[in-house]
Amino acid sequence: MKLKHYLFPSEYNDYRPWIITPSALAVFCLIIWGLRFSVPAAITFAASGIDAYDLMKKINSERTQRFIPALITNQKLITAATAKGKDMIARSYFAHVDPDGNYVWPRIEATGYQPYLTLGENLAMDFNSADSVISAWMNSPTHRANIVNEKFEDQGLASTAGTFEPQRDTIVVVSLFGTLYKTKTVTQAPVTPAPTPRPSETGTAVPAKSSHKKTPTPKPSPTPEPTAPPLTIYKEVKIRTTSLSGHTMVNIDVVINGSPALATARLKSQSITLIPGTIAGQYLGSFTFDNTEDLSKVALTVEARDKNGTKVNQVFPIKIALPAPEVVTTTPVIPVSNEAGVIKTLRIIFGIFAGIYMAFLLVDAIIIHRGQIKRVGIHSNPHILVLFLIAAVSLFANWL
């Protein structure tokens, strides 16, 4: 028997093609539901976690190439970002507002990052590399605005891997930005004492003579403007080291007296621009080195320059001890399912298959109707109805 006799009704198959038999419908259902439950569960790939340090470095790269100062890594913001990421994973939500209606700002304050002047937050989920995250953020106007915002000075970022929903492993990224209030000291101008009357030779005031002629009032001499103190770099510097994602971060805190227009620091081959701290005269900066670099015998050079071009520098011979190793030194590799893409492909295949099957049933119904053939015990109309119901459930019920 030829293939067409299995598909179309004719006298050779007694107008009972196999395509409209219950066994054909059963085979169709088994193929579709077998693909649904076996293929998506097996197709996964190992995705490496997102390196928080690498992503923060890329954020600073986006800023510096636009001549915007790089952000300083702040451990308090990292702590707040980690807490927010873990909370989103634990309660399966992805939003700036948690299920209790709270933003991340109270978490930031709880870490001690206060009083703050301004804050910002970027979120990302279902990405598996720092490049893909930064690309998505830079293509989003609101996320891009946070990254290139000149008002931000600090940043903290956390990448958290876990099960976001049942049977869904993912990576959540939380990036926080902020700027603290800075206290400034106000220098009061010296007060010039009022001129006292000139005493006479006997020590008493000279009486004024009675006269209609007015005595001219002497003009006070102009008060000289206070001169700015000379640039001075204090000979003590505070150094703090931390370890993050296999890198050693060296944070410096130095005091510079005067009014420097530019303050820089150099350590080994790196040079950075120092920014004013919260205390008058305080300048802060951060270096980042690979944890394999030897920092035991190095010299820190701090240079300050005022608006007149006067330049002073100070060399600090220092010995930096390697920070204690992190408890978790590597980001775990988690299986990330590609089920969404597989289901989309299967839906296309299912739609084509169902369309072809439906076409055969319709052709069968037309041939039987035009030939006015009466069949006993088998009709195509019930098959069309059953097939329509299966297609509706499979395509529009999220593959239950």
Side-chain angles (χ1 to χ4, degrees), residues 209-229:
K209 296 181 179 180
S210 176
S211 174
H212 295 288
K213 185 178 180 179
K214 295 183 179 180
T215 305
T217 304
K219 296 181 179 181
S221 59
T223 304
E225 297 182 359
T227 59

Side-chain angles (χ1 to χ4, degrees), residues 71-73 249-252 270 272-274 284-288:
L71 299 170
I72 297 176
T73 302
M249 304 186 66
V250 181
N251 300 308
I252 66 171
Q270 295 188 26
I272 61 172
T273 300
L274 302 178
L284 308 172
S286 179
F287 295 92
T288 303

Side-chain angles (χ1 to χ4, degrees), residues 227-261:
T227 59
L231 289 178
T232 305
I233 301 175
Y234 282 67
K235 296 183 178 181
E236 295 183 0
V237 60
K238 296 180 181 179
I239 298 177
R240 182 172 57 88
T241 60
T242 56
S243 181
L244 178 65
S245 299
H247 296 79
T248 301
M249 304 186 66
V250 181
N251 300 308
I252 66 171
D253 183 346
V254 64
V255 177
I256 303 176
N257 191 27
S259 301

